[in-house]
Amino acid sequence: MLNPDLLMALHYCAVIILTGAITSEYFLFRRGMSIEQVRKLLLADGLAALALLLIFITGVLLVLAHSQQPAVLFANPGYRTKLLLFCLMVISFGYPSHLFYRWRRSLRQGRAPMVSIQQQFWVIWILRGNLLLLALIPLLATLASS
């Protein structure tokens, strides 16, 4: 029914895509961006959102395809912590995505958006935090599997 190896490969591919997209956002985002840089940033943001969705879907399917009952998996503190960090990443990803989405109107008018110092501060730190979470979650996955 569900091929766990294929699901795991899709899951890992989505994590790699997410890492690349968030890293791209981190290096593209700054004050005084050109229209072309903003378009690349919006593309990276959309790709990151798609990767987050794919990670979630394949993760749920992996839980269903796992040999143990889901209750046994959720009893593992490493697994619960991994899920908590993933949820924290998804929630924190909302602020930059919402900010970038609001820029679409100014792009249609041919203007590059203005980035305030406060927006720059929060987006940079959120992206740094998400990159840190992306480094911690695989470590917790190894703890959860043992």
Side-chain angles (χ1 to χ4, degrees), residues 12-26 48 51 55 89 130-131 134-135 138:
Y12 288 148
C13 286
V15 170
I16 292 168
I17 291 169
L18 179 64
T19 304
I22 292 177
T23 304
S24 297
E25 286 183 42
Y26 180 75
I55 290 169
M89 181 188 305
N130 284 342
L131 287 171
L134 273 173

Side-chain angles (χ1 to χ4, degrees), residues 108-122:
R108 282 192 291 261
Q109 296 172 352
R111 292 182 289 127
M114 300 299 295
V115 179
S116 71
I117 293 172
Q118 184 180 14
Q119 288 172 335
Q120 181 185 15
F121 175 81
W122 282 109

Side-chain angles (χ1 to χ4, degrees), residues 78-146:
Y79 192 81
R80 283 194 316 255
T81 307
K82 181 179 80 160
L83 284 177
L84 178 70
L85 291 180
F86 179 75
C87 291
L88 181 66
M89 181 188 305
V90 169
I91 291 169
S92 70
F93 199 72
Y95 175 74
S97 292
H98 181 68
L99 178 67
F100 302 156
Y101 183 76
R102 289 190 330 213
W103 292 350
R104 292 181 191 270
R105 184 180 315 135
S106 65
L107 281 179
R108 282 192 291 261
Q109 296 172 352
R111 292 182 289 127
M114 300 299 295
V115 179
S116 71
I117 293 172
Q118 184 180 14
Q119 288 172 335
Q120 181 185 15
F121 175 81
W122 282 109
V123 170
I124 291 296
W125 278 102
I126 287 170
L127 293 174
R128 285 177 182 168
N130 284 342
L131 287 171
L132 177 65
L133 289 175
L134 273 173
L136 290 176
I137 288 173
L139 295 174
L140 287 169
T142 58
L143 287 174
S145 65
S146 59

